[in-house]
Amino acid sequence: SDELTQAPSVSVSPGQTARITCSGDALPKQYVYWYQKKPGQAPVLVIYKDSERPSGIPERFSGSSSGTMVTLTISGVVAEDEADYYCQSADSSSTYVVFGGGTKLTVL
Amino acid sequence: QLVESGGGLVRPGGSLRLSCAASGFSFRNYYMSWFRQAPGKGLEWVSSITSSASTIYYADSVKGRFTVSRDNAKDSLYLQMIRLRVEDTALYYCARQQGASIAAVATGWFDPWGQGTLVTVSS
């Protein structure tokens, strides 16, 4: 299957580390990208090509990959990080863009 | 920057044409894509178009009903939607695509995104 699977929710306290995972059978062959989505705002790219951070994105955002799973790590979470996070990739034939179902990050 | 327009309320079976105006970058050199987010749901890819419009891909959910096009002279992207269904109700976004190739149009990342235009399909 080329679907991407994310946990529906993750909760952390300010200052802690949040880890959001995304799994899929095609991931060993495809890069993964991560987007932050806040209500009423456009999605924002926070990680590209598994682990690269776009300019302007805080250093506390990082990405890693291992086999069929990729992880978005937010170190030292702050209140403004509360948002939905989506992983995105392509299917194994590079014909369809695929999103995970999204993970809601709650900062306690 | 990307600015979408053209959304609105339409009855099931109706049609609508969305536009996306680009500025601040060389539009003609980039692949572009449409996405949507239904109320309370996640992000969904709709369609991607190469810089010259030579290759276009669609999600299965819209294939045969939606048509993407672009006018590089006007720095604009379009989405023509026909035979609209209630389940097409969503906020529609356009985004610039990077990192893809002609052999792998659906790859790469999307940045920036517009603010979206709301399409409501209801009787």
Side-chain angles (χ1 to χ4, degrees):
Chain A
S1 170
D2 289 329
E3 296 180 347
L4 298 178
T5 301
Q6 297 182 242
S9 62
V10 168
S11 299
V12 296
S13 299
Q16 290 189 327
T17 295
R19 293 180 178 85
I20 299 171
T21 61
C22 172
S23 62
D25 291 341
L27 296 190
K29 300 184 289 288
Q30 299 284 5
Y31 283 120
V32 168
Y33 311 91
W34 289 95
Y35 301 87
Q36 178 191 69
K37 178 70 170 71
K38 296 181 179 180
Q41 297 184 22
V44 173
L45 178 75
V46 295
I47 293 290
Y48 67 103
K49 289 187 177 181
D50 293 347
S51 60
E52 300 293 321
R53 191 174 55 250
S55 61
I57 299 301
E59 290 184 7
R60 62 180 181 273
F61 287 86
S62 64
S64 62
S65 68
S66 178
T68 60
M69 181 172 287
V70 294
T71 302
L72 172 68
T73 300
I74 310 172
S75 304
V77 167
V78 299
E80 69 183 33
D81 296 333
E82 186 164 283
D84 293 327
Y85 290 86
Y86 293 88
C87 60
Q88 171 250 312
S89 188
D91 71 305
S92 54
S93 65
S94 300
T95 304
Y96 297 96
V97 177
V98 182
F99 283 96
T103 297
K104 182 176 182 57
L105 174 65
T106 299
V107 181
L108 301 171
Chain B
Q1 282 189 338
L2 298 169
V3 179
E4 303 92 338
S5 61
L9 174 63
V10 61
R11 297 194 185 280
S15 302
L16 212 54
R17 188 193 196 210
L18 306 184
S19 298
C20 169
S23 62
F25 66 96
S26 184
F27 178 77
R28 65 181 65 246
N29 291 334
Y30 288 89
Y31 295 8
M32 297 292 296
S33 294
W34 285 100
F35 300 87
R36 65 185 182 184
Q37 185 173 30
K41 303 294 186 181
L43 295 173
E44 180 187 12
W45 169 70
V46 172
S47 180
S48 294
I49 183 170
T50 56
S51 53
S52 65
S54 61
T55 302
I56 296 172
Y57 286 166
Y58 296 99
D60 289 343
S61 57
V62 307
K63 201 172 294 183
R65 299 187 301 121
F66 289 13
T67 302
V68 66
S69 62
R70 63 191 296 161
D71 185 336
N72 288 342
K74 295 183 178 180
D75 292 343
S76 293
L77 177 72
Y78 306 102
L79 186 67
Q80 178 69 51
M81 306 182 293
I82 66 171
R83 301 202 304 270
L84 283 161
R85 306 166 179 168
V86 171
E87 53 266 35
D88 294 319
T89 294
L91 189 59
Y92 283 73
Y93 298 96
C94 64
R96 183 180 69 180
Q97 188 171 355
Q98 297 183 76
S101 68
I102 194 66
V105 174
T107 59
W109 64 97
F110 304 93
D111 176 63
W113 297 56
Q115 288 297 316
T117 186
L118 182 62
V119 172
T120 304
V121 185
S122 175
S123 54

